[in-house]
Amino acid sequence: MTRSGKPIRPPSVKALPLWGASTGKVAELLTESEAAVLGQIASEVQFSKGARVYLQGEPAQAVLNIREGVVKACNTGPDGSEHIVCFLFPGDVLGLAEEGRYVNTVIAVTPVKALKVPTAPLEKLLKQNAALEFHVITKLTHELRSSQRHALLLTQRGTVERLALFLRLLERNQFANGQATDRIFLPMSRGEIANYLAISASALSRSFAELVRRRAIALGGRQFVTLVDRHRFAAILGEDADAPALR
Amino acid sequence: MTRSGKPIRPPSVKALPLWGASTGKVAELLTESEAAVLGQIASEVQFSKGARVYLQGEPAQAVLNIREGVVKACNTGPDGSEHIVCFLFPGDVLGLAEEGRYVNTVIAVTPVKALKVPTAPLEKLLKQNAALEFHVITKLTHELRSSQRHALLLTQRGTVERLALFLRLLERNQFANGQATDRIFLPMSRGEIANYLAISASALSRSFAELVRRRAIALGGRQFVTLVDRHRFAAILGEDADAPALR
DNA sequence: CGTTTAATTGAGGAAAGTCAAGTGAAGTGG
DNA sequence: CCACTTCACTTGACTTTCCTCAATTAAACG
């Protein structure tokens, strides 16, 4: 036990199963006992909006598991430019190093609660527990697919298509987590979305306006998007709304 | 044993270590015994250039380990457009499914020799062997970083910068595998490169010409690129040639 | 309620896409 | 071994799109 008498909420790692059934919903990967043993070596940490979780190039001392909130993983280019590599949500894992150092800088997009798991005991634990490791593999595969989807999004020519794809990504994310899909929640700012889509803030704004003009979506404040017409929305993506492709 | 009296060459999985020392070189992850036990359930397969390894959406029956050659993983969009998600080289692993199905279509770019490992015995094996699993985790993390680098490449505005970044990617790949870095080998066609960079074939051609014009590279046939001036080349990427950023 | 920050909107210019023609290389068959 | 066919790549002219920069509007915060 790390702290006596402080039973922390157990970790949660969610992903689509590797070889299991096709439900489209993410499942909790950790068993109760796995969560318990991880909880033993983990500690709770909090970050306020905009706070730095860790810095690119820093020695990697811990892996984190998001409990509440959203973070962004950024990569600082040699010229100083910053780009958002991915957004991470509750149930996601971050901080897996490369050659002992963090690859990206991670910043909280909203207030965040997370579990911090030091690498040394984690590594030891992993090497003893094959079942746990298998779940890590599943999670990593899931994150790899997410990254590939992001790359795919970035190959889209039009800014409208990119935005539409991004919205569908968020929608799928919500669906996979068992939330409503008619209303899409945008926890991040326009600037952050633009950065993630690799388009200018102006182009993003115009794309939102265009989707509204085409009556595919409606804006409910800055944080919410409603899909008013799924067929029109799917048409923009070159898809059939009734037979969505399993990307 | 799958086939009696046919001792196949063992599998090879290479990646940068997770928490190990910083060498910039990929290491063989599998121990002799791991390779041996994997070899027990694996079978050798070959593909000629252009042959399909597997199809997106197909039930995933096996994971593959490339021994020789290069393959491309493609994603077919709902509109029929194809995009190259990644190139995979010897020492790479492919075929990890999502909900029991392959995520991408994989096609041989060059003649390919690979090891085919059926998922069912692999899963069983993994769940018994924690050390082996840890190596899979390391490999997956490595592939995740590659994917993120690809996404990063796609955020570059100029076509020249994209090409330069791609060439540096290949160069690093060669270096990590202990090969020469003054001459970059391009196993894939221009069309495939253009697809991977998400630019038109015309723009790619112009970018090659531009890099040559700026005396950063020289072309040695279609399959080889020589870096004639590392400083000029680094300058295009906005980097310092002597202090390369650890991306 | 005022100040500061974020988001939208407008106009001009640069960059890459498209389409088409031309050139080069590789592979085939006589 | 050479000529021919074919495919891949390159190059040129034109069009579209998005980025840049600036001004305006809207929202968030004290």
Side-chain angles (χ1 to χ4, degrees):
Chain A
M1 242 180 290
T2 41
R3 299 280 182 280
S4 60
K6 199 160 65 161
I8 60 176
R9 203 154 25 127
S12 166
V13 176
K14 295 185 175 185
L16 288 171
L18 229 49
W19 294 308
S22 173
T23 63
K25 303 229 178 195
V26 292
E28 175 58 54
L29 297 178
L30 302 180
T31 63
E32 268 188 39
S33 63
E34 283 169 359
V37 71
L38 273 173
Q40 294 285 315
I41 58 173
S43 58
E44 283 183 332
V45 283
Q46 289 194 25
F47 300 92
S48 48
K49 180 175 172 173
R52 225 176 42 205
V53 177
Y54 55 75
L55 204 65
Q56 177 177 350
E58 248 177 29
Q61 293 148 350
V63 169
L64 288 104
N65 174 222
I66 302 183
R67 187 195 282 325
E68 289 174 25
V70 180
V71 303
K72 58 178 175 182
C74 308
N75 193 301
T76 308
D79 52 348
S81 65
E82 286 221 341
H83 186 258
I84 297 179
V85 172
C86 63
F87 292 109
L88 294 158
F89 298 86
D92 283 337
V93 172
L94 56 146
L96 279 168
E98 191 162 89
E99 296 191 309
R101 292 181 180 276
Y102 290 125
V103 178
N104 304 308
T105 296
V106 172
I107 293 168
V109 168
T110 67
V112 165
K113 290 186 182 176
L115 275 186
K116 197 170 188 170
V117 186
T119 49
L122 175 61
E123 191 176 353
K124 198 176 155 195
L125 187 63
L126 284 175
K127 290 187 171 168
Q128 292 166 351
N129 191 333
L132 174 59
E133 271 192 316
F134 188 77
H135 298 146
V136 174
I137 287 174
T138 304
K139 181 64 187 177
L140 274 172
T141 304
H142 190 233
E143 288 204 4
L144 175 61
R145 298 312 170 197
S146 294
S147 176
Q148 291 180 345
R149 271 184 273 266
H150 182 206
L152 213 61
L153 181 155
L154 293 171
T155 66
Q156 294 290 327
R157 320 218 155 284
T159 56
V160 178
E161 287 84 348
R162 283 199 198 180
L163 173 57
L165 221 49
F166 176 68
L167 292 175
R168 206 198 50 173
L169 224 77
L170 286 178
E171 191 211 5
R172 293 242 167 133
N173 202 349
Q174 289 187 184
F175 173 76
N177 284 288
Q179 299 159 19
T181 55
D182 51 343
R183 207 149 148 263
I184 301 169
F185 177 53
L186 307 171
M188 63 294 285
S189 72
R190 293 296 144 99
E192 286 167 329
I193 297 174
N195 188 318
Y196 185 71
L197 303 185
I199 61 180
S200 68
S202 317
L204 177 65
S205 191
R206 281 183 250 271
S207 299
F208 266 116
E210 177 67 14
L211 285 177
V212 171
R213 199 190 60 71
R214 290 198 212 171
R215 306 196 182 289
I217 67 168
L219 297 178
R222 296 213 156 142
Q223 302 251 95
F224 289 99
V225 170
T226 313
L227 293 178
V228 293
D229 191 325
R230 287 186 177 275
H231 285 88
R232 269 196 272 261
F233 188 77
I236 290 159
L237 294 167
E239 287 177 2
D240 190 342
D242 304 314
L246 291 172
R247 280 240 206 146
Chain B
M1 245 181 286
T2 41
R3 298 282 181 280
S4 62
K6 200 160 64 164
I8 61 177
R9 208 158 17 133
S12 165
V13 175
K14 295 185 173 184
L16 289 171
L18 231 49
W19 293 309
S22 174
T23 62
K25 303 230 181 196
V26 293
E28 174 59 53
L29 298 178
L30 302 179
T31 64
E32 268 189 39
S33 63
E34 284 169 357
V37 70
L38 273 173
Q40 293 286 315
I41 57 173
S43 58
E44 283 182 331
V45 282
Q46 289 195 25
F47 300 93
S48 48
K49 180 174 172 175
R52 227 175 44 205
V53 177
Y54 55 73
L55 204 65
Q56 178 177 348
E58 246 177 31
Q61 293 148 348
V63 168
L64 287 104
N65 173 225
I66 302 184
R67 185 194 283 324
E68 290 174 23
V70 180
V71 303
K72 58 178 175 183
C74 308
N75 192 301
T76 308
D79 52 349
S81 65
E82 286 222 338
H83 186 258
I84 297 179
V85 171
C86 64
F87 291 110
L88 295 158
F89 298 86
D92 284 337
V93 172
L94 56 146
L96 279 168
E98 191 163 89
E99 297 191 308
R101 292 180 181 277
Y102 290 124
V103 178
N104 304 308
T105 297
V106 172
I107 293 168
V109 168
T110 66
V112 166
K113 289 186 183 177
L115 274 186
K116 197 170 188 172
V117 185
T119 50
L122 175 63
E123 191 176 352
K124 198 176 157 195
L125 187 63
L126 283 176
K127 288 187 171 166
Q128 293 167 351
N129 192 333
L132 173 59
E133 272 192 315
F134 188 77
H135 297 146
V136 174
I137 288 173
T138 305
K139 181 64 189 176
L140 274 173
T141 305
H142 190 233
E143 289 205 4
L144 176 61
R145 300 311 171 200
S146 295
S147 176
Q148 291 180 346
R149 270 184 275 266
H150 181 206
L152 213 62
L153 180 155
L154 293 171
T155 67
Q156 295 289 327
R157 317 221 155 283
T159 56
V160 178
E161 287 83 347
R162 284 199 198 181
L163 173 57
L165 221 51
F166 176 68
L167 292 175
R168 206 198 51 172
L169 223 76
L170 287 178
E171 191 211 5
R172 295 240 167 135
N173 203 347
Q174 289 186 185
F175 173 75
N177 284 287
Q179 298 159 18
T181 56
D182 51 342
R183 208 150 148 262
I184 301 170
F185 176 53
L186 308 171
M188 65 293 285
S189 73
R190 293 298 202 272
E192 286 166 331
I193 297 173
N195 188 318
Y196 185 71
L197 303 184
I199 61 178
S200 67
S202 316
L204 176 64
S205 191
R206 282 185 250 270
S207 300
F208 266 115
E210 177 67 13
L211 285 176
V212 171
R213 199 191 59 72
R214 291 197 211 170
R215 306 198 183 287
I217 66 168
L219 298 178
R222 294 206 159 143
Q223 304 249 94
F224 289 99
V225 170
T226 314
L227 292 178
V228 292
D229 191 324
R230 285 184 178 276
H231 286 87
R232 268 197 273 260
F233 188 78
I236 289 160
L237 295 167
E239 289 177 1
D240 192 342
D242 304 313
L246 290 171
R247 280 247 202 140

